[in-house]
């Protein structure tokens, strides 16, 4: 059977194409991570007739190439990327006369594949009938499906995890063998997928909204992706954006940043221009780049607030419901007006759908916003699939049960500590972190502060009120320094639902965030990324006989390095944040 091997030889995809059953399997070194798994498309008919499988593959031709490229993004786990892979294209001729191309790419980070129909005419295509099948004893972390992708993941044996789930799905095959299943390059040419697991099977299938895909001319599906390796590979991987084309424009004007946001703590405040000035003043004092004026702002006073902010070196985002921008003429008129006012970007809310028509709205909105040099934040959204490479101004997506839920519910610390290995591993996540004043939280103050490092987003919305932050000088000090875009990301230690300790670097300065769930413990790690010992500032929860600072945190100077362990006692559901200049 044909194999596609990564350039380093660590990851291998084995493809079976002859006959009626086409499959793909993935091995990590000598270990099978993905068992032979079904490939296939629902047959394209014009006009469409019935939902049937493609017939037998009678013959195929294969061509190979080596992919070696570097590319830049405006934010992410890093801003400069390199991608090395082996790519094979199998041109399959089916017994019904159809021709389908299967592209398989293998890199040190995993395997991805997609289908291409060279000439479809104008057809309705229902779905690709693909799956990832795992060894029987595989454990999963899966998030129950919701239209807005806002739910908490569940850890369970895959054999018992019957249901429909959001992408991505995390699968542990062995102690050091993991797979993160997701998709890349999802746009308005297709649907976004969910994952379907059936009882007493060790597989997940890609499932789509019930409406068919409308395709015309040459047609490609999104990439089906399995990031495979250890947990460091999962957390650090950039395979998803590496599979996407781009950029569509010169992103010189695109700037990530930190955002002051009043809605979480004071939901009526977006109606009040005077209160918004308070947030502008606070952002200016802290050196934060943006303020988000959420639902309730008025065109009667917004232009004046934009000028007020600009005089203080702060730019504004404004909120909009997606239906207000659905019509092309109305959308372009409003975006042009907001850009003329000097608004930096828009938060688009409540799309709440994975179907093709809604994804076409994303495409159209991004094109129109780019033309007017407006940044974009999607809420009530799909899960990101690497389009930040194509559209550098799409700064973040929600698609997560984030801190806004603390206004009316409880989020478990285990949920927080699973996200770095699942949802945030595939793209920017607008969780809106650092909510000290949430009455319903079960996390420590240092845990909350560390989220500013552990969670990655091109726009980092600090959700608490300016008054709450003003009472915590240690937190203010740290949030003045932590950036929203990184040059490097390194996973130090952890496990889904228990601990995530992540180091990120920007312009030679390193930041470490650690969050835990469960009982008190000592977290010990070294910073092997450093070239020697350095003095760093540690902010943690008080421990033992410690005397906390006025804000309940402890700030102290420590020495860290590649051979100098950092040892921190953390309380139940605790954490710490470290700044190493």
């Amino acid at each position: 059977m044909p194999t596609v091997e990564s350039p380093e030889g660590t990851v291998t995809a084995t493809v079976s194409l002859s006959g009626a059953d086409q499959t793909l399997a993935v091995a990590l070194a000598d270990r099978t991570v993905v068992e032979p798994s079904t490939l296939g498309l629902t047959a394209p008919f014009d006009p469409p007739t019935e939902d049937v499988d493609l017939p037998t593959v009678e013959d195929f031709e294969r061509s190979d190439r080596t992919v070696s490229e570097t590319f830049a993004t405006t934010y992410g786990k890093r801003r400069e990327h390199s991608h090395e892979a082996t790519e094979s294209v199998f041109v399959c001729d089916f017994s019904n006369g159809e021709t389908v191309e299967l592209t398989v790419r293998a890199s040190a980070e995993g395997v991805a594949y997609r289908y291409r129909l060279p000439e479809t005419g104008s057809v309705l295509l229902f779905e690709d009938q693909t799956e990832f099948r795992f060894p029987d004893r595989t454990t999963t972390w899966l998030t129950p499906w919701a239209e807005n992708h806002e739910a908490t993941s569940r850890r369970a044996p895959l054999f018992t995890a019957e249901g429909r789930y959001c992408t991505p799905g995390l699968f542990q095959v062995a102690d050091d063998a993991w797979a993160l299943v997701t998709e890349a390059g999802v746009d308005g040419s297709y649907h976004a997928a969910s994952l379907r697991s059936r009882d007493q099977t060790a597989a997940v299938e890609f499932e789509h909204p019930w409406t068919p895909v409308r395709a015309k001319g040459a047609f490609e599906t999104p990439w089906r992706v399995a990031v495979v390796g250890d947990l460091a590979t999962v957390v650090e991987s950039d395979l998803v954006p590496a599979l996407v084309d781009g950029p569509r424009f010169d992103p010189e004007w695109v700037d990530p940043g930190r955002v002051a946001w009043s809605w979480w703590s004071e939901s009526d405040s977006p109606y009040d221009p005077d209160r918004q000035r308070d947030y502008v003043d606070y952002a200016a004092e802290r050196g934060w780049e943006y303020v988000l004026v959420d639902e309730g702002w008025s065109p009667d006073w917004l232009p004046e607030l934009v000028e007020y902010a600009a005089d203080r070196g702060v730019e504004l985002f404004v909120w909009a419901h997606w239906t207000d921008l659905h019509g092309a003429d109305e959308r372009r008129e409003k975006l042009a007006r907001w850009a003329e006012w000097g608004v930096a970007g828009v938060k688009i809310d409540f799309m709440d759908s994975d179907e093709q028509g809604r994804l076409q709205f994303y495409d159209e909105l991004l094109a129109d916003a780019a033309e007017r040099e407006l940044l974009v934040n999607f809420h009530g959204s799909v899960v990101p699939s690497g389009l930040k490479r194509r559209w550098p101004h799409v700064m973040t997506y929600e698609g997560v049960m984030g801190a806004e839920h603390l206004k009316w519910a409880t989020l478990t610390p285990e949920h927080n500590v699973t996200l770095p290995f699942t949802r945030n591993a595939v793209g920017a996540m607008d969780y809106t972190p650092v909510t000290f004043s949430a009455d319903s939280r079960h996390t420590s103050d240092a845990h909350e502060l560390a989220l500013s490092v552990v969670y990655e987003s091109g726009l980092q919305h600090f959700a608490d009120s300016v008054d709450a932050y003003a009472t915590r000088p240690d937190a203010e000090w740290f949030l003045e320094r932590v950036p929203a875009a990184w040059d490097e990301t390194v996973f130090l230690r952890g496990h889904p639902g228990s601990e995530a300790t992540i180091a990120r670097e920007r312009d030679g300065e390193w930041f470490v965030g650690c969050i835990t769930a469960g009982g008190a413990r000592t977290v010990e790690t070294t910073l092997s990324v450093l070239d020697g010992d350095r003095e760093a500032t540690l902010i943690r929860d008080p421990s033992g006989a410690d005397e906390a600072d006025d804000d309940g945190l402890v700030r102290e100077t420590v020495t860290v390095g590649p051979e100098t362990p950092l040892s921190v006692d953390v309380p139940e559901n605790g954490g710490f944040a470290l700044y190493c200049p």
Side-chain angles (χ1 to χ4, degrees):
M1 288 185 288
T3 61
V4 185
E5 188 175 89
S6 66
E8 303 83 357
T10 55
V11 175
T12 303
T14 301
V15 183
S16 175
L17 294 175
S18 299
D21 297 321
Q22 295 88 52
T23 63
L24 179 143
V26 180
L28 177 63
D30 296 326
R31 181 188 297 277
T32 297
V33 178
V34 178
E35 303 276 4
S37 304
T38 300
L39 302 173
L41 287 171
T42 300
F45 290 93
D46 190 7
T49 55
E50 57 183 300
D51 188 8
V52 297
D53 295 342
L54 281 171
T56 301
V57 174
E58 291 192 328
D59 192 17
F60 67 87
E61 296 181 359
R62 174 179 179 171
S63 61
D64 301 307
R65 74 181 182 109
T66 298
V67 178
S68 181
E69 63 179 358
T70 59
F71 63 95
T73 55
T74 52
Y75 64 90
K77 299 173 186 178
R78 54 195 61 84
R79 294 182 293 174
E80 300 293 334
H81 313 258
S82 61
H83 178 54
E84 307 285 335
T86 302
E87 182 178 278
S88 296
V89 178
F90 301 90
V91 181
C92 303
D93 295 323
F94 289 83
S95 58
N96 69 342
E98 297 288 348
T99 296
V100 176
E101 296 177 5
L102 171 66
T103 300
V104 181
R105 189 179 291 193
S107 75
E109 298 173 69
V111 168
Y113 61 92
R114 69 179 175 187
Y115 308 98
R116 182 175 185 271
L117 304 178
E119 290 296 334
T120 64
S122 179
V123 302
L124 298 183
L125 184 73
F126 281 84
E127 62 183 18
D128 55 302
Q129 300 169 323
T130 56
E131 67 175 6
F132 283 103
R133 183 171 295 276
F134 295 95
D136 287 347
R137 296 185 181 273
T138 296
T139 300
T140 73
W141 284 259
L142 291 168
T143 304
W145 186 84
E147 288 184 334
N148 57 10
H149 304 281
E150 297 178 28
T152 58
S153 64
R154 301 171 181 171
R155 179 182 183 271
L158 179 54
F159 240 71
T160 66
E162 181 178 14
R164 185 182 180 191
Y165 299 96
C166 301
T167 58
L170 180 65
F171 303 85
Q172 184 180 15
V173 175
D175 287 346
D176 58 350
W178 297 74
L180 186 73
V181 171
T182 191
E183 53 186 352
V186 184
D187 58 23
S189 65
Y190 211 66
H191 297 310
S194 56
L195 301 175
R196 170 69 69 178
S197 176
R198 305 194 186 278
D199 192 32
Q200 302 302 303
T201 62
V204 288
E205 306 164 0
F206 285 88
E207 184 170 287
H208 301 85
W210 65 271
T211 53
V213 169
R214 298 182 179 272
K216 185 175 182 179
F219 169 77
E220 292 177 334
T221 67
W223 292 92
R224 305 301 176 219
V225 183
V227 176
V228 297
D230 58 15
L231 281 175
T233 304
V234 169
V235 172
E236 298 172 13
S237 173
D238 281 325
L239 181 55
V240 169
L243 295 164
V244 179
D245 61 302
R248 293 283 175 90
F249 60 87
D250 183 348
E252 181 181 8
W253 55 271
V254 176
D255 290 319
R258 298 152 297 178
V259 189
W261 178 47
S262 67
W263 178 87
W264 183 88
S265 58
E266 308 170 61
S267 295
D268 292 336
S269 61
Y271 293 87
D272 183 352
D274 292 333
R275 189 56 173 155
Q276 294 307 304
R277 287 187 180 89
D278 294 339
Y279 278 77
V280 169
D281 292 341
Y282 187 85
E285 292 167 3
R286 302 277 77 75
W288 297 355
E289 291 79 7
Y290 299 106
V291 167
L292 167 60
V293 187
D294 215 289
E295 182 181 10
W297 62 270
S298 169
D300 294 337
W301 51 258
L302 200 285
E304 183 180 343
L305 182 65
V306 172
E307 293 182 9
Y308 180 88
D311 289 343
R312 289 152 181 79
V314 176
E315 296 185 275
L316 297 189
F317 273 72
V318 295
W319 179 95
H321 196 288
W322 81 275
T323 55
D324 295 334
L325 300 171
H326 185 230
D329 291 342
E330 182 181 21
R331 176 174 61 250
R332 291 163 187 160
E333 178 184 349
K334 287 184 176 180
L335 294 179
R337 184 187 315 136
W338 299 342
E340 185 179 352
W341 290 348
V343 167
V346 290
K347 172 184 174 180
I348 314 298
D349 212 344
F350 294 115
M351 282 74 69
D352 293 343
S353 174
D354 290 341
E355 57 89 22
Q356 184 183 23
R358 201 63 48 87
L359 294 181
Q360 289 171 347
F361 166 77
Y362 283 75
D363 294 346
E364 295 160 1
L365 182 283
L366 287 169
D368 288 339
E371 185 177 342
R372 292 154 184 82
E373 297 191 355
L374 289 169
L375 306 177
V376 177
N377 168 15
F378 285 123
H379 264 237
S381 70
V382 294
V383 171
S385 62
L387 294 185
K388 69 176 183 181
R389 184 178 177 189
R390 180 183 301 168
W391 298 110
H393 63 318
V394 55
M395 307 304 293
T396 193
Y397 297 74
E398 190 181 25
V400 65
M401 181 172 278
E404 72 173 18
H405 286 266
L406 291 170
K407 290 171 69 69
W408 52 78
T410 296
L411 295 178
T412 67
E414 289 80 8
H415 172 65
N416 282 5
V417 182
T418 301
L419 291 174
F421 306 95
T422 53
R423 166 62 183 83
N424 206 192
V426 299
M429 182 178 75
D430 198 18
Y431 178 97
T432 65
V434 195
T435 51
F436 293 119
S437 66
D439 293 335
S440 61
R441 71 178 170 98
H442 296 295
T443 54
S444 76
D445 284 354
H447 179 122
E448 287 297 312
L449 182 62
L451 295 178
S452 65
V453 178
V454 174
Y455 292 164
E456 183 272 314
S457 179
L459 296 173
Q460 194 69 285
H461 288 85
F462 298 134
D464 219 330
S465 71
V466 295
D467 303 323
Y469 290 134
T471 64
R472 293 171 171 81
D474 290 337
E476 281 189 319
W477 182 91
F478 190 83
L479 296 177
E480 287 175 358
R481 289 159 176 77
V482 66
W486 304 99
D487 296 328
E488 189 55 86
T489 292
V490 177
F491 174 70
L492 297 179
R493 52 172 281 168
H495 192 275
S498 176
E499 179 193 329
T501 304
I502 296 174
R504 302 192 195 269
E505 178 261 335
R506 173 70 179 268
D507 295 335
E509 297 185 331
W510 283 90
F511 296 77
V512 177
C514 170
I515 58 175
T516 68
R521 71 198 73 174
T522 299
V523 174
E524 186 170 296
T525 187
T526 57
L527 270 65
S528 59
V529 293
L530 300 179
D531 55 8
D533 284 352
R534 294 193 200 178
E535 281 196 352
T537 299
L538 173 68
I539 301 179
R540 59 177 176 82
D541 298 299
S543 174
D546 281 339
E547 186 172 329
D549 297 336
D550 291 341
D551 57 3
L553 294 165
V554 173
R555 186 170 78 181
E556 60 189 1
T557 301
V558 297
T559 300
V560 296
E563 297 180 0
T564 303
L566 173 67
S567 182
V568 184
D569 293 331
V570 300
E572 181 180 11
N573 304 326
F576 65 82
L578 181 87
Y579 168 58
C580 183

